[in-house]
Amino acid sequence: MGNTNCLLCGCVDQANIGVIEKWGRFDRLAHPGFHWFNIFAGECLAGSLSTRIRSLDVKIETKTKDNVFVQMHCSIQYRVIRHNADDAFYELQNPEEQIQAYVFDVVRAHVPRMTLDELFEQKGDVAQAVLEELEKVMGAYGYNIEHILMVDIVPDPSVRKAMNEINAAQRMQLASVFRGEAEKTLQVKKAEADAESKYLGGIGVARQRQAITDGLRENILQFSHKVEGTSAKEVMDLIMITQYFDTIKDLGNGSNNTTIFIPHGPGHVRDIGEQIRNGLLEASSA
């Protein structure tokens, strides 16, 4: 400050508002820039207030409707109203304590009416209620509430652990359902594949028997035409007996050391021939 003809000069910084008093009483507001003060008229710069947005973090512990203790972290952004800076300068000695008290009062009035799940879903409603109350009260003291954010909601550690266990159990149950559906699908597909395999195997066996039947029929017809005086039954018996001995020969020449007991004799050979003949006839009719 300088002294020229009983005048004092001073500056109010940018983003601030000065409060000028005259003989100890409020006179006017001083905007940022250079100002003269007449000391003989009792003028002086009593102080200044910042008009920047300030942030206040508040932690509130309260209880929900379902008796769960939670700690809420709230961030309040506020600033001084320029044309009401004198109210902000003279009315409140500690505005942060006043704001914090109102936040406590509003939050503890709203949260006990909500369950924990409702609180997580409707935390914006709580912030809006706090904003409306603070704007109504703090506006009279020269402060404007810019924003209120419910930054975090922290339940008791035991409650958080229980909530995580419930969520994990629900996910395990859902995984079990999907695993069961996958196993069911696998079993159905396996059964369908087995049925298809048996069906195709049956078709293969039927075709094999049909081919054998056709081959034997051709052999019988050729043998009957070339050898006069022989009947189809005699040729069939001869072929069956030949096939019978060929089968015994193949079993004896097999690489596996397996013993098979087969009844052998003229009567048994005839019985086997009749059984094979009947089988071929049934296959042909089918």
Side-chain angles (χ1 to χ4, degrees):
M1 290 189 179
N3 187 350
T4 303
N5 296 327
C6 301
L7 294 177
L8 292 177
C9 61
C11 290
V12 177
D13 295 334
Q14 183 65 32
N16 282 267
I17 195 77
V19 178
I20 300 175
E21 293 181 349
K22 187 174 184 179
W23 302 118
R25 297 180 61 184
F26 171 72
D27 184 59
R28 65 186 184 276
L29 296 174
H31 297 287
F34 182 81
H35 296 274
W36 290 99
F37 308 104
N38 189 344
I39 59 174
F40 287 107
E43 294 180 350
C44 67
L45 182 63
S48 63
L49 290 174
S50 173
T51 57
R52 295 184 179 92
I53 294 178
R54 287 180 282 182
S55 180
L56 174 64
D57 294 330
V58 182
K59 294 182 179 180
I60 316 110
E61 186 175 14
T62 183
K63 187 179 71 169
T64 62
K65 185 177 180 180
D66 47 354
N67 296 322
V68 177
F69 282 92
V70 295
Q71 190 175 73
M72 302 183 66
H73 296 180
C74 182
S75 179
I76 299 100
Q77 296 177 348
Y78 66 99
R79 72 191 310 170
V80 172
I81 303 174
R82 289 181 177 273
H83 59 275
N84 289 339
D86 54 326
D87 292 331
F89 187 80
Y90 290 105
E91 296 294 334
L92 292 179
Q93 183 175 3
N94 193 329
E96 292 187 351
E97 287 187 1
Q98 188 77 9
I99 292 173
Q100 183 171 314
Y102 280 107
V103 172
F104 279 11
D105 182 65
V106 176
V107 170
R108 287 174 176 169
H110 280 76
V111 173
R113 289 182 261 172
M114 301 179 178
T115 63
L116 182 61
D117 291 337
E118 291 173 346
L119 178 60
F120 275 100
E121 294 173 359
Q122 304 173 20
K123 66 177 184 178
D125 296 342
V126 178
Q128 183 63 30
V130 175
L131 177 62
E132 292 175 357
E133 183 67 21
L134 286 179
E135 282 183 339
K136 182 174 59 176
V137 174
M138 298 303 296
Y141 297 122
Y143 286 92
N144 183 50
I145 308 301
E146 299 290 332
H147 297 286
I148 292 183
L149 302 174
M150 288 297 170
V151 180
D152 198 8
I153 300 173
V154 184
D156 186 83
S158 60
V159 176
R160 280 184 291 172
K161 182 179 178 182
M163 292 173 66
N164 290 333
E165 290 178 353
I166 292 172
N167 185 269
Q170 291 175 344
R171 293 182 182 274
M172 288 295 294
Q173 183 179 10
L174 186 61
S176 299
V177 172
F178 281 112
R179 191 181 302 113
E181 290 295 330
E183 292 179 356
K184 176 183 176 181
T185 303
L186 182 62
Q187 293 294 332
V188 170
K189 293 298 182 183
K190 185 177 179 181
E192 291 177 353
D194 186 57
E196 184 69 17
S197 175
K198 291 179 179 179
Y199 172 73
L200 295 176
I203 293 177
V205 171
R207 289 178 179 176
Q208 180 186 21
R209 291 177 178 176
Q210 184 65 39
I212 293 173
T213 303
D214 294 341
L216 290 176
R217 184 185 297 111
E218 291 178 3
N219 290 335
I220 292 171
L221 293 175
Q222 291 177 3
F223 194 89
S224 299
H225 291 308
K226 291 181 180 179
V227 181
E228 296 180 0
T230 58
S231 62
K233 181 178 181 303
E234 292 174 345
V235 177
M236 187 68 179
D237 292 338
L238 178 60
I239 292 174
M240 292 299 102
I241 292 171
T242 303
Q243 291 290 334
Y244 173 74
F245 283 109
D246 288 341
T247 303
I248 293 176
K249 180 180 177 182
D250 291 337
L251 291 174
N253 293 331
S255 59
N256 296 329
N257 297 325
T258 304
T259 302
I260 300 176
F261 294 95
I262 299 176
H264 185 69
H268 292 102
V269 174
R270 185 176 61 254
D271 294 339
I272 291 173
E274 291 179 355
Q275 293 174 8
I276 295 174
R277 187 187 310 109
N278 293 334
L280 291 172
L281 292 175
E282 290 176 0
S284 297
S285 62

